[in-house]
């Protein structure tokens, strides 16, 4: 009887979800759009996404990454919409928020839908049913039932954890509660029914700061530059003020952030009885990056330490092995030659207050479109011992020179011996 009751209850919930999804689709389909990036030379679609109307003036919300090709190359692309009734028309870009992956676009015709979505007053409770709407794989608009699982942990760029299928083409579509009020925007998937949404507060902030006057194409990069600079300042102010503690790694003590900002992982070969050396690793990173265009991502942080020691090697052989271990370090983010300069590096021997002497290499490469922003690559190898040592490495993407220098000083100065 208990199993029968459970089955009936589950059937009832599924039936309610299906009915809700059907009601949402029928009521709001005229306020849902496919957003297309059209390559001017061929006249064909280059990429697609989704969007939803938020007022009777034809303003739509979508993801920044949906329209990023147009933002970077407005001379090569245009933005177009496909409405539920088959109507096709042009969209203008109203504003962007690259940090939170949002954009506002507007229908450029008098044939605007009078239907639009309202924003919810608050986020749902944990475990509540919510519904993702969008256009997956150019197959037409669908509704995907799912579950609200709160704001993702270890997140600086806030995202809602959504249990449900977000597929390519659904980016920029709304996620609504059973009343049809928007609580988030589809933005990314990790597969296996794990999706991520831009939360309500970020949508509301972008809408509230706009009079919905389109920005001109020659202003796009300036807006992005300002947003990136402001964001990196917030991020590194937080890093500087959060608590760092020293954790043991082999024979060293390394600085580790105690808060939820970075995700950390570890590994070692200590169980391998045939290993000629001991390797103990600690890796921490900021899980998210900021998407600028298909070849450029920024805003990430990676911090890595590896302790190496060996009684099997002589001093000379260990030095060669130790030195070779730092040769594979590289930038943590993806960027092309049209986006950034070559790295300019400075090498030095640094001794900190804990009597740790380190051979340090600090490299910076500049963003060509965004003055005063750099990617930073640091590699350090301790020099105090002949058969053991610590390799330290970090990459910072899209930071000011001041932020980079303060972080490097804090990082190098904290390393200690046990």
């Amino acid at each position: 009887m208990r199993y029968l009751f459970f089955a009936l209850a589950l059937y009832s919930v599924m039936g309610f979800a299906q009915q809700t999804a059907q009601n949402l689709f029928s009521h709001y389909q005229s306020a849902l759009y496919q957003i297309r990036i059209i390559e001017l030379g061929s006249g064909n679609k280059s990429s697609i996404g989704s969007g939803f109307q938020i007022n009777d003036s034809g303003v739509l919300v979508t993801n920044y990454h949906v329209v990023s090709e147009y933002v970077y190359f407005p001379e090569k692309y245009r933005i177009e919409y496909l409405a539920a009734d088959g109507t096709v028309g042009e969209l203008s870009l109203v504003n962007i928020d690259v940090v939170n992956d949002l954009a506002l676009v507007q229908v450029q015709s008098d044939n605007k839908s009078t239907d639009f979505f309202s924003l919810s007053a608050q986020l749902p409770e944990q475990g509540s049913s919510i519904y993702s709407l969008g256009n997956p794989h150019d197959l037409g608009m669908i509704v995907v039932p799912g579950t609200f699982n709160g704001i993702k942990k270890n997140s600086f760029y806030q995202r809602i954890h959504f249990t449900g299928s977000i597929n390519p083409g659904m980016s920029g579509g709304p996620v609504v509660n059973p009343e049809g009020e928007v609580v988030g925007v589809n933005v990314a998937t990790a597969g296996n029914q794990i999706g991520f949404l831009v939360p309500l507060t970020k949508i509301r902030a972008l809408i509230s700061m706009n009079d919905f006057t389109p920005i001109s194409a020659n202003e796009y990069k300036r807006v992005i530059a300002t947003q990136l600079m402001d964001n990196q300042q917030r991020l590194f102010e937080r890093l500087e003020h959060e608590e760092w503690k020293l954790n043991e790694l082999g024979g060293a003590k390394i600085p580790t952030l105690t808060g939820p900002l970075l995700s950390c992982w570890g590994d070692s070969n200590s169980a391998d009885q045939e290993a000629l050396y001991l390797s103990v690793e600690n890796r921490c990173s900021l899980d998210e990056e900021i998407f600028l265009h298909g070849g450029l991502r920024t805003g990430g942080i990676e911090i890595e330490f590896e302790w190496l020691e060996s009684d099997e090697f002589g001093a000379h052989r260990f030095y060669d092995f130790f030195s070779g271990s730092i040769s594979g370090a590289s930038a943590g983010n993806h960027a092309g030659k049209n986006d950034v300069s070559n790295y300019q590096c400075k090498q030095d021997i640094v001794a900190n207050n804990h009597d740790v002497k380190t051979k340090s290499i600090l490299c910076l490469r500049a963003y060509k479109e965004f003055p005063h922003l750099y990617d930073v690559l640091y590699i350090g190898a301790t020099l105090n011992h002949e058969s053991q040592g610590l390799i330290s490495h970090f990459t910072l993407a899209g930071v000011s020179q001041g932020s980079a220098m303060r972080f490097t000083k804090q990082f190098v100065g904290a390393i200690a011996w046990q």
Side-chain angles (χ1 to χ4, degrees), residues 154-166:
N154 300 325
S155 176
F156 181 74
Y157 309 110
Q158 287 189 343
R159 296 287 185 263
I160 292 170
H161 176 195
F162 171 71
T163 302
S165 297
I166 298 176

PDB file of all heavy atoms in Angstrom, residues 154-166:
ATOM      1  N   ASN A 154      30.764  28.130  -3.856  1.00  0.00           N
ATOM      2  CA  ASN A 154      32.081  28.435  -4.437  1.00  0.00           C
ATOM      3  C   ASN A 154      31.934  29.235  -5.722  1.00  0.00           C
ATOM      4  O   ASN A 154      32.489  28.901  -6.759  1.00  0.00           O
ATOM      5  CB  ASN A 154      32.869  27.152  -4.718  1.00  0.00           C
ATOM      6  CG  ASN A 154      33.117  26.346  -3.465  1.00  0.00           C
ATOM      7  OD1 ASN A 154      33.322  26.900  -2.394  1.00  0.00           O
ATOM      8  ND2 ASN A 154      33.084  25.039  -3.589  1.00  0.00           N
ATOM      9  N   SER A 155      31.146  30.313  -5.621  1.00  0.00           N
ATOM     10  CA  SER A 155      30.827  31.062  -6.830  1.00  0.00           C
ATOM     11  C   SER A 155      30.985  32.558  -6.581  1.00  0.00           C
ATOM     12  O   SER A 155      30.344  33.100  -5.684  1.00  0.00           O
ATOM     13  CB  SER A 155      29.382  30.749  -7.271  1.00  0.00           C
ATOM     14  OG  SER A 155      29.006  31.522  -8.373  1.00  0.00           O
ATOM     15  N   PHE A 156      31.853  33.211  -7.356  1.00  0.00           N
ATOM     16  CA  PHE A 156      31.934  34.668  -7.324  1.00  0.00           C
ATOM     17  C   PHE A 156      30.965  35.262  -8.334  1.00  0.00           C
ATOM     18  O   PHE A 156      30.311  36.257  -8.069  1.00  0.00           O
ATOM     19  CB  PHE A 156      33.363  35.127  -7.621  1.00  0.00           C
ATOM     20  CG  PHE A 156      33.529  36.617  -7.573  1.00  0.00           C
ATOM     21  CD1 PHE A 156      33.538  37.286  -6.360  1.00  0.00           C
ATOM     22  CD2 PHE A 156      33.676  37.355  -8.744  1.00  0.00           C
ATOM     23  CE1 PHE A 156      33.692  38.675  -6.305  1.00  0.00           C
ATOM     24  CE2 PHE A 156      33.832  38.731  -8.702  1.00  0.00           C
ATOM     25  CZ  PHE A 156      33.836  39.387  -7.475  1.00  0.00           C
ATOM     26  N   TYR A 157      30.889  34.632  -9.517  1.00  0.00           N
ATOM     27  CA  TYR A 157      29.917  35.037 -10.525  1.00  0.00           C
ATOM     28  C   TYR A 157      28.662  34.216 -10.285  1.00  0.00           C
ATOM     29  O   TYR A 157      28.542  33.090 -10.762  1.00  0.00           O
ATOM     30  CB  TYR A 157      30.480  34.804 -11.927  1.00  0.00           C
ATOM     31  CG  TYR A 157      31.852  35.408 -12.110  1.00  0.00           C
ATOM     32  CD1 TYR A 157      32.980  34.605 -12.240  1.00  0.00           C
ATOM     33  CD2 TYR A 157      32.017  36.784 -12.132  1.00  0.00           C
ATOM     34  CE1 TYR A 157      34.242  35.161 -12.403  1.00  0.00           C
ATOM     35  CE2 TYR A 157      33.279  37.350 -12.281  1.00  0.00           C
ATOM     36  CZ  TYR A 157      34.383  36.535 -12.414  1.00  0.00           C
ATOM     37  OH  TYR A 157      35.626  37.090 -12.563  1.00  0.00           O
ATOM     38  N   GLN A 158      27.728  34.773  -9.541  1.00  0.00           N
ATOM     39  CA  GLN A 158      26.623  33.990  -8.990  1.00  0.00           C
ATOM     40  C   GLN A 158      25.808  33.276 -10.064  1.00  0.00           C
ATOM     41  O   GLN A 158      25.468  33.855 -11.099  1.00  0.00           O
ATOM     42  CB  GLN A 158      25.695  34.879  -8.173  1.00  0.00           C
ATOM     43  CG  GLN A 158      26.260  35.314  -6.840  1.00  0.00           C
ATOM     44  CD  GLN A 158      25.213  36.005  -5.988  1.00  0.00           C
ATOM     45  OE1 GLN A 158      24.168  36.441  -6.453  1.00  0.00           O
ATOM     46  NE2 GLN A 158      25.497  36.106  -4.710  1.00  0.00           N
ATOM     47  N   ARG A 159      25.508  32.012  -9.786  1.00  0.00           N
ATOM     48  CA  ARG A 159      24.674  31.199 -10.649  1.00  0.00           C
ATOM     49  C   ARG A 159      23.701  30.381  -9.796  1.00  0.00           C
ATOM     50  O   ARG A 159      24.050  29.923  -8.697  1.00  0.00           O
ATOM     51  CB  ARG A 159      25.521  30.226 -11.494  1.00  0.00           C
ATOM     52  CG  ARG A 159      26.454  30.919 -12.476  1.00  0.00           C
ATOM     53  CD  ARG A 159      25.701  31.514 -13.635  1.00  0.00           C
ATOM     54  NE  ARG A 159      26.592  32.074 -14.642  1.00  0.00           N
ATOM     55  CZ  ARG A 159      26.921  33.355 -14.729  1.00  0.00           C
ATOM     56  NH1 ARG A 159      26.443  34.218 -13.841  1.00  0.00           N
ATOM     57  NH2 ARG A 159      27.721  33.799 -15.687  1.00  0.00           N
ATOM     58  N   ILE A 160      22.491  30.184 -10.317  1.00  0.00           N
ATOM     59  CA  ILE A 160      21.523  29.277  -9.699  1.00  0.00           C
ATOM     60  C   ILE A 160      21.814  27.866 -10.186  1.00  0.00           C
ATOM     61  O   ILE A 160      22.061  27.642 -11.377  1.00  0.00           O
ATOM     62  CB  ILE A 160      20.078  29.671 -10.073  1.00  0.00           C
ATOM     63  CG1 ILE A 160      19.698  31.002  -9.422  1.00  0.00           C
ATOM     64  CG2 ILE A 160      19.088  28.583  -9.678  1.00  0.00           C
ATOM     65  CD1 ILE A 160      18.375  31.574  -9.926  1.00  0.00           C
ATOM     66  N   HIS A 161      21.808  26.914  -9.264  1.00  0.00           N
ATOM     67  CA  HIS A 161      21.937  25.497  -9.621  1.00  0.00           C
ATOM     68  C   HIS A 161      20.547  24.970  -9.956  1.00  0.00           C
ATOM     69  O   HIS A 161      19.658  24.936  -9.110  1.00  0.00           O
ATOM     70  CB  HIS A 161      22.553  24.728  -8.452  1.00  0.00           C
ATOM     71  CG  HIS A 161      22.648  23.254  -8.687  1.00  0.00           C
ATOM     72  ND1 HIS A 161      22.891  22.360  -7.688  1.00  0.00           N
ATOM     73  CD2 HIS A 161      22.529  22.508  -9.826  1.00  0.00           C
ATOM     74  CE1 HIS A 161      22.902  21.135  -8.171  1.00  0.00           C
ATOM     75  NE2 HIS A 161      22.691  21.208  -9.480  1.00  0.00           N
ATOM     76  N   PHE A 162      20.371  24.541 -11.199  1.00  0.00           N
ATOM     77  CA  PHE A 162      19.082  24.071 -11.723  1.00  0.00           C
ATOM     78  C   PHE A 162      19.207  22.603 -12.095  1.00  0.00           C
ATOM     79  O   PHE A 162      20.106  22.222 -12.848  1.00  0.00           O
ATOM     80  CB  PHE A 162      18.710  24.908 -12.955  1.00  0.00           C
ATOM     81  CG  PHE A 162      17.518  24.421 -13.732  1.00  0.00           C
ATOM     82  CD1 PHE A 162      16.234  24.530 -13.216  1.00  0.00           C
ATOM     83  CD2 PHE A 162      17.677  23.871 -15.005  1.00  0.00           C
ATOM     84  CE1 PHE A 162      15.140  24.103 -13.949  1.00  0.00           C
ATOM     85  CE2 PHE A 162      16.595  23.440 -15.743  1.00  0.00           C
ATOM     86  CZ  PHE A 162      15.314  23.561 -15.210  1.00  0.00           C
ATOM     87  N   THR A 163      18.327  21.757 -11.558  1.00  0.00           N
ATOM     88  CA  THR A 163      18.280  20.362 -11.974  1.00  0.00           C
ATOM     89  C   THR A 163      17.309  20.246 -13.140  1.00  0.00           C
ATOM     90  O   THR A 163      16.086  20.326 -12.961  1.00  0.00           O
ATOM     91  CB  THR A 163      17.834  19.445 -10.827  1.00  0.00           C
ATOM     92  OG1 THR A 163      18.731  19.599  -9.734  1.00  0.00           O
ATOM     93  CG2 THR A 163      17.838  17.988 -11.269  1.00  0.00           C
ATOM     94  N   GLY A 164      17.844  20.096 -14.319  1.00  0.00           N
ATOM     95  CA  GLY A 164      17.027  20.031 -15.525  1.00  0.00           C
ATOM     96  C   GLY A 164      17.920  20.176 -16.739  1.00  0.00           C
ATOM     97  O   GLY A 164      19.086  20.555 -16.636  1.00  0.00           O
ATOM     98  N   SER A 165      17.399  19.868 -17.905  1.00  0.00           N
ATOM     99  CA  SER A 165      18.187  19.853 -19.135  1.00  0.00           C
ATOM    100  C   SER A 165      18.172  21.217 -19.818  1.00  0.00           C
ATOM    101  O   SER A 165      17.127  21.671 -20.271  1.00  0.00           O
ATOM    102  CB  SER A 165      17.643  18.799 -20.105  1.00  0.00           C
ATOM    103  OG  SER A 165      17.754  17.510 -19.556  1.00  0.00           O
ATOM    104  N   ILE A 166      19.346  21.869 -19.849  1.00  0.00           N
ATOM    105  CA  ILE A 166      19.526  23.079 -20.647  1.00  0.00           C
ATOM    106  C   ILE A 166      20.412  22.698 -21.828  1.00  0.00           C
ATOM    107  O   ILE A 166      21.561  22.326 -21.650  1.00  0.00           O
ATOM    108  CB  ILE A 166      20.181  24.202 -19.828  1.00  0.00           C
ATOM    109  CG1 ILE A 166      19.298  24.590 -18.643  1.00  0.00           C
ATOM    110  CG2 ILE A 166      20.434  25.419 -20.708  1.00  0.00           C
ATOM    111  CD1 ILE A 166      19.917  25.625 -17.733  1.00  0.00           C
TER     112      ILE A 166
END
